[in-house]
Amino acid sequence: MRVAAIHFGKTPDIDVNENNLIALNVQAANEHGAKLIVNPEQSILPLSSESAPIAVNSKADDVARSRAFAKWFATERAPRFVNRIVSEVAEPHRCYVVVSVITSDPHYHILFSSALVLGPRTEEFADGIYHTYHKNLLRGDIYAVQGASPLQPASLEIGKIGVMVCGDYSVPLIARSLVINGSELIAGPAALSSSTLETLKARALENCVPLV
């Protein structure tokens, strides 16, 4: 099985980021035959610039603005992005795509930093969402609450794929639980630097599975 990991430079414009990311996903599937594509953390949101819509400090005004934007993104913008990935990448190329977005729980009015496993629509998965994982270890995610996802893999035609988001890699038992529960590969949408490479290698070696 061919696996692609997407890394690209984001702009302050979410629409531009979405178009660029989808083009890279199509290229990975169409030209390189990838059956699993793993995209970065918060795949189309700019997170690092001063103009980023999500702040990383705890000043009251920044928290309020960040949460208002995150709620809009989770309820209105992210579903459109997910639908495009399913319609333009997963379905036509018969592949699976891991993306990271903000999601909401409307029953409790809370937000999560999440990763979704997307694939071709079926009767069982009518929206193309095969698995949702909420980030546990929050660092700078001032709009979100800590996740409490069952650490179960997504059972796909290509295998059992576990997911953890960004800093969750630093908690050894998260990766271990995913593998104990049957994960044959772990996808980790992340916004990390090269300084974390040795820890990521350790998670893969500890559990004897690839970590993408």
Side-chain angles (χ1 to χ4, degrees), residues 10-206:
K10 297 178 188 175
T11 76
D13 190 315
I14 294 173
D15 294 332
V16 170
N17 294 338
E18 181 181 280
N19 290 332
N20 290 342
L21 187 72
I22 287 176
L24 289 170
N25 277 251
V26 169
Q27 182 181 24
N30 188 42
E31 296 182 19
H32 303 291
K35 291 301 179 184
L36 176 66
I37 304 170
V38 182
N39 289 287
E41 182 184 15
Q42 294 306 332
S43 302
I44 61 173
L45 279 181
L47 298 175
S48 58
S49 68
E50 293 184 1
S51 61
I54 300 290
V56 296
N57 62 61
S58 57
K59 294 180 181 178
D61 288 346
D62 287 337
V63 171
R65 282 195 297 269
S66 294
R67 287 182 176 170
F69 176 86
K71 180 180 179 182
W72 167 80
F73 186 86
T75 57
E76 297 185 33
R77 191 62 182 79
R80 300 206 311 266
F81 167 57
V82 167
N83 184 63
R84 282 194 68 190
I85 289 286
V86 173
S87 299
E88 299 178 33
V89 183
E91 286 203 318
H93 300 286
R94 309 304 296 176
C95 64
Y96 297 91
V97 183
V98 180
V99 299
S100 171
V101 294
I102 302 170
T103 61
S104 66
D105 185 331
H107 299 292
Y108 297 99
H109 305 287
I110 54 179
L111 302 171
F112 298 100
S113 178
S114 303
L116 310 179
V117 180
L118 308 176
R121 293 182 179 92
T122 66
E123 185 174 338
E124 183 179 0
F125 303 103
D127 56 4
I129 300 174
Y130 285 66
H131 186 66
T132 301
Y133 175 82
H134 302 314
K135 185 176 177 181
N136 283 276
L137 192 63
L138 300 178
R139 291 176 178 169
D141 304 283
I142 58 176
Y143 58 85
V145 300
Q146 185 174 1
S149 306
L151 297 176
Q152 299 288 341
S155 295
L156 311 174
E157 289 182 353
I158 58 173
K160 294 184 177 181
I161 309 300
V163 181
M164 57 185 182
V165 184
C166 197
D168 284 358
Y169 77 91
S170 63
V171 183
L173 287 178
I174 291 179
R176 189 66 188 143
S177 297
L178 286 167
V179 172
I180 288 173
N181 290 331
S183 299
E184 299 166 316
L185 178 149
I186 297 176
L192 302 174
S193 67
S194 58
S195 62
T196 62
L197 183 59
E198 293 306 313
T199 306
L200 294 170
K201 287 181 181 179
R203 292 294 89 83
L205 291 171
E206 289 164 355

